[in-house]
Coordinates of all heavy atoms in Angstrom, one line a residue:
H273 N -0.3 -3.9 -5.2 CA -0.4 -4.1 -6.6 C -1.7 -4.0 -7.0 O -2.7 -4.7 -6.5 CB 0.2 -5.5 -7.0 CG 0.3 -5.7 -8.3 ND1 -0.6 -6.3 -9.2 CD2 1.4 -5.5 -9.2 CE1 -0.2 -6.3 -10.4 NE2 1.1 -5.9 -10.5
R274 N -2.1 -2.9 -7.8 CA -3.5 -2.8 -8.2 C -4.2 -3.9 -8.8 O -5.5 -4.0 -8.5 CB -3.6 -1.6 -9.1 CG -3.1 -0.2 -8.5 CD -3.1 0.9 -9.5 NE -2.5 2.0 -9.0 CZ -3.0 3.1 -8.5 NH1 -4.3 3.3 -8.5 NH2 -2.4 4.1 -8.1
E275 N -3.6 -4.7 -9.6 CA -4.3 -5.8 -10.2 C -4.9 -6.8 -9.1 O -5.8 -7.4 -9.3 CB -3.3 -6.5 -11.1 CG -3.9 -7.7 -11.8 CD -3.0 -8.3 -12.8 OE1 -2.2 -7.6 -13.5 OE2 -3.0 -9.6 -13.0
S276 N -4.1 -6.9 -8.1 CA -4.4 -7.9 -7.0 C -5.4 -7.3 -6.0 O -6.4 -7.9 -5.7 CB -3.2 -8.5 -6.2 OG -2.3 -9.1 -7.1
L277 N -5.2 -6.1 -5.6 CA -5.9 -5.5 -4.4 C -7.0 -4.6 -4.9 O -8.0 -4.4 -4.2 CB -5.0 -4.6 -3.7 CG -4.0 -5.3 -2.6 CD1 -3.1 -4.4 -2.0 CD2 -4.7 -6.2 -1.7
R278 N -7.0 -4.3 -6.2 CA -8.0 -3.4 -6.7 C -8.4 -2.2 -5.7 O -7.4 -1.5 -5.4 CB -9.3 -4.2 -7.0 CG -9.1 -5.2 -8.1 CD -10.3 -6.1 -8.4 NE -11.0 -6.7 -7.3 CZ -10.7 -8.0 -6.9 NH1 -9.8 -8.7 -7.6 NH2 -11.4 -8.5 -5.9
D279 N -9.6 -2.2 -5.2 CA -9.9 -1.1 -4.2 C -9.6 -1.4 -2.7 O -10.0 -0.7 -1.9 CB -11.3 -0.5 -4.5 CG -12.4 -1.6 -4.0 OD1 -12.0 -2.8 -3.8 OD2 -13.5 -1.2 -3.7
G280 N -8.9 -2.5 -2.6 CA -8.5 -3.0 -1.3 C -7.2 -2.4 -0.8 O -6.7 -2.9 0.2
G281 N -6.6 -1.5 -1.5 CA -5.3 -1.0 -1.1 C -5.3 0.5 -1.3 O -6.3 1.2 -1.9
L282 N -4.3 1.2 -0.7 CA -4.2 2.6 -0.9 C -3.0 2.9 -1.9 O -2.0 2.2 -1.8 CB -3.8 3.3 0.5 CG -5.0 3.2 1.5 CD1 -4.5 3.8 2.8 CD2 -6.3 3.9 1.0
Y283 N -3.1 3.7 -2.8 CA -2.1 4.0 -3.7 C -1.8 5.5 -3.8 O -2.5 6.3 -3.5 CB -2.7 3.6 -5.1 CG -3.2 2.1 -5.2 CD1 -4.6 1.9 -5.1 CD2 -2.4 1.0 -5.2 CE1 -5.1 0.7 -5.0 CE2 -2.8 -0.2 -5.2 CZ -4.1 -0.5 -5.1 OH -4.7 -1.8 -5.0
F284 N -0.4 5.7 -4.1 CA 0.0 7.1 -4.2 C 1.2 7.1 -5.1 O 1.9 6.0 -5.3 CB 0.4 7.5 -2.8 CG 1.4 6.7 -2.1 CD1 2.7 7.1 -2.3 CD2 1.0 5.5 -1.4 CE1 3.8 6.2 -1.6 CE2 2.0 4.7 -0.8 CZ 3.4 5.1 -1.0
P285 N 1.6 8.2 -5.7 CA 2.7 8.3 -6.7 C 4.0 7.9 -5.8 O 4.1 8.4 -4.6 CB 2.8 9.8 -7.0 CG 1.3 10.2 -7.0 CD 0.9 9.5 -5.8
P286 N 4.9 7.2 -6.3 CA 6.0 6.6 -5.6 C 6.9 7.7 -4.8 O 7.3 7.4 -3.7 CB 6.9 6.0 -6.6 CG 6.0 5.6 -7.7 CD 4.9 6.6 -7.6
L287 N 7.0 8.9 -5.4 CA 7.9 9.9 -4.8 C 7.0 11.0 -4.1 O 7.7 12.0 -3.6 CB 8.8 10.6 -5.9 CG 9.7 9.5 -6.6 CD1 10.5 10.3 -7.7 CD2 10.6 8.8 -5.6
D288 N 5.8 10.8 -3.9 CA 5.0 11.9 -3.4 C 4.7 11.5 -1.8 O 3.9 10.8 -1.4 CB 3.5 11.8 -4.0 CG 2.7 13.0 -3.5 OD1 3.1 13.7 -2.5 OD2 1.8 13.2 -4.3
T289 N 5.7 12.1 -1.0 CA 5.7 11.8 0.4 C 4.5 12.5 1.1 O 4.0 12.0 2.2 CB 7.0 12.4 1.1 OG1 7.2 13.7 0.7 CG2 8.2 11.5 0.5
V290 N 4.0 13.5 0.5 CA 2.8 14.3 1.1 C 1.6 13.3 1.0 O 0.8 13.3 1.9 CB 2.6 15.7 0.5 CG1 1.3 16.3 1.0 CG2 3.7 16.6 0.7
A291 N 1.5 12.7 -0.2 CA 0.3 12.0 -0.4 C 0.4 10.6 0.5 O -0.6 10.2 1.2 CB 0.2 11.4 -1.9
L292 N 1.6 10.0 0.7 CA 1.7 9.0 1.6 C 1.5 9.4 3.0 O 0.7 8.7 3.7 CB 3.2 8.5 1.5 CG 3.6 7.3 2.5 CD1 2.7 6.1 2.4 CD2 5.0 7.1 2.4
R293 N 1.9 10.5 3.5 CA 1.6 11.0 4.7 C 0.1 11.1 5.0 O -0.4 10.8 6.0 CB 2.3 12.3 5.1 CG 2.1 12.9 6.4 CD 2.9 14.1 6.6 NE 2.4 15.2 5.7 CZ 1.6 16.1 5.9 NH1 0.9 16.1 7.1 NH2 1.3 17.0 5.0
T294 N -0.5 11.7 4.0 CA -2.0 11.9 4.1 C -2.7 10.6 4.2 O -3.6 10.4 5.1 CB -2.5 12.7 2.8 OG1 -1.7 13.9 2.9 CG2 -3.9 12.9 2.9
L295 N -2.3 9.6 3.4 CA -3.0 8.4 3.4 C -2.7 7.7 4.9 O -3.7 7.1 5.4 CB -2.5 7.4 2.4 CG -3.0 7.8 1.0 CD1 -2.3 7.0 -0.1 CD2 -4.5 7.7 0.9
L296 N -1.5 7.7 5.4 CA -1.2 7.2 6.6 C -1.9 7.8 7.7 O -2.5 7.1 8.6 CB 0.4 7.1 6.8 CG 1.2 6.3 5.9 CD1 2.6 6.4 6.2 CD2 0.8 4.8 6.2
A297 N -2.0 9.2 7.7 CA -2.7 9.9 8.6 C -4.2 9.4 8.7 O -4.8 9.2 9.8 CB -2.6 11.3 8.5
T298 N -4.7 9.3 7.6 CA -6.2 8.9 7.4 C -6.4 7.6 8.1 O -7.4 7.4 8.8 CB -6.6 9.0 6.0 OG1 -6.6 10.3 5.5 CG2 -8.1 8.4 5.8
M299 N -5.6 6.6 7.8 CA -5.7 5.3 8.3 C -5.5 5.3 9.8 O -6.1 4.5 10.5 CB -4.7 4.3 7.7 CG -5.0 4.0 6.2 SD -6.6 3.2 6.0 CE -7.6 4.5 5.4
L300 N -4.6 6.0 10.3 CA -4.4 6.2 11.8 C -5.6 6.7 12.6 O -5.9 6.4 13.6 CB -3.1 6.9 12.1 CG -1.8 6.1 11.8 CD1 -0.6 7.2 11.9 CD2 -1.6 4.9 12.6
E301 N -6.1 7.8 12.0 CA -7.2 8.6 12.6 C -8.6 8.2 12.4 O -9.5 8.5 13.2 CB -7.0 10.1 12.1 CG -5.6 10.6 12.5 CD -5.4 12.0 11.8 OE1 -6.2 12.5 11.0 OE2 -4.3 12.6 12.1
D302 N -8.8 7.5 11.3 CA -10.2 7.1 10.9 C -10.5 5.6 10.9 O -10.1 4.8 10.0 CB -10.4 7.7 9.5 CG -11.9 7.6 9.1 OD1 -12.7 6.7 9.7 OD2 -12.4 8.2 8.1
G303 N -10.9 5.1 12.1 CA -11.2 3.7 12.3 C -12.1 3.1 11.3 O -11.9 2.0 10.8
A304 N -13.2 3.9 10.8 CA -14.1 3.3 10.0 C -13.5 3.1 8.6 O -13.7 2.1 7.9 CB -15.3 4.3 9.9
A305 N -12.7 4.2 8.1 CA -12.0 4.0 6.9 C -11.0 2.9 6.9 O -10.8 2.1 5.9 CB -11.3 5.3 6.6
R306 N -10.3 2.7 8.0 CA -9.4 1.6 8.2 C -10.1 0.3 8.1 O -9.6 -0.7 7.3 CB -8.6 1.8 9.5 CG -7.5 0.8 9.7 CD -6.7 1.2 10.9 NE -7.4 1.3 12.2 CZ -7.7 2.5 12.8 NH1 -7.1 3.6 12.4 NH2 -8.4 2.5 14.0
A307 N -11.2 0.1 8.8 CA -11.9 -1.2 8.8 C -12.5 -1.4 7.4 O -12.5 -2.7 7.0 CB -13.2 -1.1 9.8
A308 N -13.0 -0.4 6.7 CA -13.5 -0.6 5.3 C -12.4 -1.1 4.3 O -12.6 -2.0 3.6 CB -14.1 0.7 4.8
L309 N -11.2 -0.4 4.5 CA -10.1 -0.8 3.6 C -9.6 -2.2 3.9 O -9.4 -3.0 3.0 CB -9.0 0.2 3.8 CG -7.7 -0.1 3.0 CD1 -8.0 0.1 1.5 CD2 -6.5 0.8 3.4
A310 N -9.7 -2.6 5.2 CA -9.3 -4.0 5.5 C -10.2 -5.0 5.0 O -9.8 -5.9 4.4 CB -9.1 -4.0 7.0
A311 N -11.5 -4.7 5.0 CA -12.5 -5.6 4.5 C -12.4 -5.7 3.0 O -12.4 -6.8 2.5 CB -13.9 -5.0 4.9
R312 N -12.2 -4.6 2.4 CA -12.0 -4.6 0.9 C -10.8 -5.3 0.5 O -10.7 -6.2 -0.5 CB -12.0 -3.2 0.3 CG -13.3 -2.6 0.3 CD -13.3 -1.3 -0.6 NE -12.3 -0.3 -0.3 CZ -12.2 0.7 0.6 NH1 -13.3 0.9 1.3 NH2 -11.2 1.4 0.7
G313 N -9.7 -5.2 1.3 CA -8.4 -5.9 1.0 C -8.6 -7.4 1.2 O -8.1 -8.2 0.3
R314 N -9.3 -7.8 2.3 CA -9.5 -9.3 2.5 C -10.5 -9.9 1.4 O -10.1 -11.0 0.9 CB -10.1 -9.5 3.9 CG -9.3 -9.4 5.0 CD -9.9 -9.8 6.3 NE -11.0 -9.0 6.7 CZ -10.9 -7.9 7.4 NH1 -9.7 -7.5 7.8 NH2 -11.9 -7.2 7.7
A315 N -11.4 -9.1 0.9 CA -12.2 -9.7 -0.1 C -11.4 -9.7 -1.5 O -11.6 -10.8 -2.1 CB -13.4 -8.8 -0.4
A316 N -10.5 -8.8 -1.7 CA -9.8 -8.8 -2.9 C -8.8 -10.1 -3.0 O -8.7 -10.8 -4.0 CB -9.0 -7.6 -3.2
V317 N -8.2 -10.3 -1.9 CA -7.2 -11.4 -1.8 C -7.7 -12.7 -1.7 O -7.1 -13.7 -1.7 CB -6.0 -11.1 -0.8 CG1 -5.3 -9.8 -1.2 CG2 -6.5 -11.1 0.6
S318 N -8.9 -12.8 -1.2 CA -9.6 -14.1 -0.9 C -9.7 -14.9 -2.3 O -9.8 -16.1 -2.3 CB -11.0 -14.0 -0.4 OG -11.9 -13.4 -1.3
E319 N -9.7 -14.2 -3.3 CA -9.7 -14.9 -4.7 C -8.4 -15.3 -5.1 O -8.2 -16.1 -6.1 CB -10.3 -13.9 -5.7 CG -11.6 -13.4 -5.4 CD -12.1 -12.2 -6.3 OE1 -11.4 -12.0 -7.2 OE2 -13.1 -11.6 -6.0
L320 N -7.3 -15.0 -4.5 CA -6.0 -15.2 -4.8 C -5.4 -16.5 -4.2 O -4.7 -16.5 -3.2 CB -5.0 -14.1 -4.5 CG -5.4 -12.7 -5.2 CD1 -4.4 -11.7 -4.7 CD2 -5.4 -12.9 -6.7
T321 N -5.9 -17.7 -4.8 CA -5.5 -18.9 -4.1 C -4.6 -19.7 -5.2 O -4.8 -19.5 -6.4 CB -6.7 -19.8 -3.7 OG1 -7.4 -20.1 -4.9 CG2 -7.6 -19.1 -2.8
W322 N -3.9 -20.6 -4.6 CA -3.1 -21.5 -5.6 C -4.1 -22.2 -6.5 O -3.8 -22.5 -7.7 CB -2.2 -22.5 -4.8 CG -1.1 -21.8 -4.3 CD1 -0.7 -21.6 -3.0 CD2 0.1 -21.2 -5.0 NE1 0.5 -21.0 -2.9 CE2 1.0 -20.7 -4.1 CE3 0.3 -21.2 -6.4 CZ2 2.2 -20.1 -4.5 CZ3 1.6 -20.5 -6.8 CH2 2.4 -20.1 -5.7
E323 N -5.2 -22.7 -6.0 CA -6.2 -23.5 -6.8 C -6.7 -22.6 -8.0 O -6.9 -23.1 -9.1 CB -7.3 -23.9 -5.9 CG -6.9 -25.0 -5.0 CD -6.2 -24.5 -3.7 OE1 -6.3 -23.2 -3.4 OE2 -5.7 -25.2 -2.9
A324 N -7.1 -21.3 -7.5 CA -7.6 -20.4 -8.7 C -6.6 -20.2 -9.7 O -6.8 -20.1 -11.0 CB -8.1 -19.2 -8.0
A325 N -5.3 -20.0 -9.3 CA -4.2 -19.8 -10.1 C -3.9 -20.9 -11.1 O -3.8 -20.8 -12.3 CB -3.0 -19.4 -9.5
A326 N -4.0 -22.1 -10.6 CA -3.8 -23.3 -11.3 C -4.8 -23.5 -12.4 O -4.6 -23.9 -13.5 CB -3.6 -24.5 -10.4
A327 N -6.2 -23.2 -12.0 CA -7.2 -23.4 -12.8 C -7.1 -22.5 -14.0 O -7.4 -22.8 -15.2 CB -8.6 -23.2 -12.1
R328 N -6.7 -21.2 -13.8 CA -6.5 -20.2 -14.8 C -5.4 -20.6 -15.7 O -5.5 -20.5 -17.0 CB -6.3 -18.8 -14.3 CG -7.5 -18.2 -13.7 CD -7.3 -16.6 -13.4 NE -6.2 -16.4 -12.3 CZ -6.5 -16.5 -11.1 NH1 -7.6 -16.7 -10.6 NH2 -5.5 -16.2 -10.3
L329 N -4.3 -21.1 -15.1 CA -3.2 -21.5 -16.0 C -3.5 -22.8 -16.8 O -3.2 -22.9 -18.0 CB -2.0 -21.9 -15.1 CG -0.7 -22.4 -15.7 CD1 -0.2 -21.4 -16.8 CD2 0.3 -22.8 -14.7
R330 N -4.3 -23.6 -16.2 CA -4.8 -24.9 -17.0 C -5.6 -24.4 -18.2 O -5.4 -24.9 -19.3 CB -5.6 -25.8 -16.1 CG -6.0 -27.0 -16.8 CD -6.7 -28.0 -15.8 NE -7.0 -29.2 -16.5 CZ -8.1 -29.4 -17.2 NH1 -9.0 -28.5 -17.4 NH2 -8.4 -30.6 -17.8
G331 N -6.5 -23.5 -18.0 CA -7.3 -23.0 -19.1 C -6.5 -22.3 -20.1 O -6.7 -22.6 -21.3
L332 N -5.6 -21.6 -19.8 CA -4.7 -20.9 -20.8 C -3.9 -22.0 -21.6 O -3.7 -21.8 -22.8 CB -3.7 -19.8 -20.1 CG -4.4 -18.7 -19.5 CD1 -3.5 -17.9 -18.6 CD2 -4.9 -17.8 -20.7
L333 N -3.3 -22.9 -20.9 CA -2.5 -24.0 -21.5 C -3.5 -24.8 -22.5 O -2.9 -25.1 -23.7 CB -1.8 -24.9 -20.5 CG -0.8 -24.2 -19.7 CD1 -0.2 -25.2 -18.6 CD2 0.4 -23.7 -20.6
L334 N -4.6 -25.1 -22.1 CA -5.5 -25.8 -23.0 C -5.9 -25.0 -24.2 O -6.0 -25.5 -25.3 CB -6.9 -26.3 -22.2 CG -6.6 -27.4 -21.1 CD1 -7.9 -27.6 -20.3 CD2 -6.2 -28.7 -21.9
E335 N -6.1 -23.7 -24.0 CA -6.5 -22.8 -25.1 C -5.4 -22.8 -26.1 O -5.5 -22.8 -27.3 CB -6.9 -21.6 -24.5 CG -7.3 -20.6 -25.5 CD -7.7 -19.2 -25.0 OE1 -8.3 -19.1 -23.8 OE2 -7.5 -18.2 -25.6
A336 N -4.1 -22.6 -25.5 CA -2.9 -22.6 -26.4 C -2.6 -23.8 -27.2 O -2.0 -23.7 -28.2 CB -1.7 -22.1 -25.5
A337 N -3.1 -25.0 -26.6 CA -2.7 -26.2 -27.3 C -3.7 -26.5 -28.3 O -3.4 -27.5 -29.1 CB -2.7 -27.3 -26.2
R338 N -4.8 -25.8 -28.5 CA -5.8 -26.1 -29.5 C -5.3 -25.8 -30.8 O -4.5 -24.7 -31.0 CB -7.0 -25.3 -29.2 CG -7.8 -25.8 -28.0 CD -9.2 -25.1 -28.0 NE -9.8 -25.4 -26.7 CZ -10.3 -24.4 -26.0 NH1 -10.4 -23.1 -26.3 NH2 -10.9 -24.9 -24.8
P339 N -5.6 -26.6 -31.9 CA -5.0 -26.4 -33.2 C -5.7 -25.1 -33.9 O -6.7 -24.7 -33.5 CB -5.4 -27.5 -34.0 CG -6.2 -28.4 -33.2 CD -6.2 -27.9 -31.8

């Protein structure tokens, strides 16, 4: 999901098997690219905690409750 992973994921058109094959081949063959993607992915999801989600929801609810 692009909103969550941002540049920490690989994306391709859903029915484009050539694009998928190309991305998979790159990840299998290029260790540096694979490590960089893994690092970006870990950084992106490190912000996705229950605590952070609860804080955002609380803020939205407080904003919505204001007159």
Side-chain angles (χ1 to χ4, degrees):
H273 193 270
R274 289 177 197 258
E275 183 178 320
S276 300
L277 287 177
R278 298 181 304 266
D279 69 341
L282 298 175
Y283 307 99
F284 58 93
L287 301 177
D288 190 341
T289 58
V290 173
L292 173 59
R293 181 180 59 91
T294 301
L295 290 172
L296 290 173
T298 299
M299 290 296 103
L300 287 170
E301 296 168 3
D302 188 341
R306 187 171 54 248
L309 180 67
R312 291 192 310 269
R314 281 190 296 276
V317 299
S318 71
E319 303 167 13
L320 303 176
T321 65
W322 285 111
E323 291 81 12
R328 285 191 298 275
L329 178 59
R330 181 178 187 275
L332 289 170
L333 292 173
L334 288 173
E335 184 180 323
R338 288 189 192 132

